[in-house]
Amino acid sequence: MKLANRVQALTPSSTLAITAKAKALKADGHDVIGLGAGEPDFNTPEYILDAASYAMKQGLTKYTPSGGIPDLKQAIIEKFSKDQNLSYKDTQIVVTTGAKHALFTLFQVVLNPGDEVIVPTPYWVSYPEQVKLAEGKPVFAEAKEENGFKITPDQLEAAITPKTKAVIINSPSNPTGMMYSKEELQELGDICLKHDLLIVSDEIYEKLIYSEEEHVSIASLSDDLYKQTIVINGVSKSHSMTGWRIGYAAGDPEIIKAMTSMASHSTSNPTSIAQYAALAAYTTDEHEVNKMKEAFRERLEKLYEWLVEIPGIECVKPKGAFYLFPNVKKASEKNGFESVDAWVEALLEEEKVAVVPGSGFGSPDNIRLSYAISLDQLEEAAKRIKRFVENH
């Protein structure tokens, strides 16, 4: 049987081979340090676990409205008001099975065959694939390292064609940890308004910021940008709830209604228990969130310091998320490898350190390292990387 064209068009993840090899080495008893994690290493806070347990005992284990339970929608509305001074109604919120599902459903309801979506590189690996699954076309705009991995207004303008439907903005970013300032967002937003482009603002890492800068949602900058923006967020990263699969989208009620309708025919609804857990996350103070953030801040400072001391490795210091995205092209060339991907594979084989090659993010000279593991493991990983570079 021949598979559907939409599936055949997908690009296999470049991380799969390295991940599979790391697991195989671990299974054989090797001491592998994995720096590929895209999730916090902390357990979900106790008060959230208690809320889920209470929901189960109360029999809240049945179908819910497709777009989410009313109490959780209200908590999300209040969160937007408190954090970004954004005002939404419940008809402008849809709760989804993770922020990834929010993005997937959004592209399904707004894209027609051939519609283009501008995707800044480096990008989160699923953006272009989700656009392709909606029969759209990802158009890449290279966010250069010397500009802090941020696209400029001129780059955005140059990427726009008559077929452009939307642009993705991810701040703080996966994989780079970069953030757009209020002024930068305004300049990009003005271009989007000029060309009537939908803005997809992925803000999943908004609570994990380590600089003095505050997170700014592009939707908060003007009434026009508010109307033109769909904000994507969730509790996965902020509250260490990746496995609970609760995300949401906020914006134009017509788009939200279409997303809700589509969800009703696909997932039916997000898991009921997980919704009550997310409700507890958003109606309790952020003490546990801040503790986690401080641990990430310390790890970032240390790992960044250790990495930039290694010859041939250069790194733009991130401001958020929990990743470093160093450029290792000089190191790989000096080490005699034909590509960074080959360098990454050898690093795993020789030193048992697993990192994600940047080719999977549209940036083949870089690697992504997650600091969502203990400080001791990060220090040992840095020592092994340094030894690997020096030995070659």
Side-chain angles (χ1 to χ4, degrees), residues 90-267:
D90 60 357
T91 54
Q92 294 176 276
I93 305 289
V94 58
V95 182
T96 57
T97 310
K100 181 182 281 190
H101 183 240
L103 285 160
F104 176 84
T105 308
L106 172 61
F107 293 131
Q108 290 291 321
V109 304
V110 300
L111 296 182
N112 288 312
D115 283 345
E116 295 178 353
V117 178
I118 297 173
V119 182
T121 63
Y123 48 74
W124 177 52
V125 293
S126 290
Y127 290 145
E129 306 312 310
Q130 290 191 349
V131 170
K132 287 191 280 187
L133 282 169
E135 299 185 71
K137 178 185 176 183
V139 174
F140 302 110
E142 184 186 359
K144 295 185 182 295
E145 230 164 315
E146 54 266 32
N147 195 44
F149 291 116
K150 293 181 280 190
I151 61 168
T152 65
D154 288 344
Q155 285 180 299
L156 176 58
E157 187 83 57
I160 295 170
T161 75
K163 292 183 178 181
T164 307
K165 187 73 170 285
V167 60
I168 298 173
I169 294 176
N170 178 206
S171 177
S173 158
N174 173 9
T176 67
M178 72 81 197
M179 285 172 57
Y180 286 99
S181 69
K182 180 179 178 180
E183 294 72 24
E184 289 166 336
L185 288 172
Q186 185 66 62
E187 290 180 335
L188 296 176
D190 287 343
I191 294 170
C192 292
L193 292 175
K194 173 184 170 185
H195 294 276
D196 192 28
L197 302 184
L198 179 69
I199 301 166
V200 182
S201 183
D202 184 349
E203 304 178 14
I204 193 72
Y205 291 98
E206 60 151 338
K207 295 292 183 182
L208 298 175
I209 295 172
Y210 317 108
S211 70
E212 296 303 314
E213 297 176 41
E214 292 186 357
H215 170 261
V216 177
S217 173
I218 193 169
S220 69
L221 299 183
S222 71
D223 289 343
D224 288 337
L225 286 170
Y226 169 85
K227 294 173 185 175
Q228 204 77 7
T229 301
I230 299 291
V231 177
I232 305 293
N233 210 326
V235 292
S236 291
K237 315 297 183 180
S238 60
H239 293 79
S240 196
M241 293 178 67
T242 50
W244 296 82
R245 308 314 301 135
I246 295 293
Y248 52 87
D252 178 84
E254 185 178 359
I255 293 176
I256 297 301
K257 182 179 179 181
M259 291 176 68
T260 305
S261 179
M262 185 168 180
S264 73
H265 292 293
S266 55
T267 57

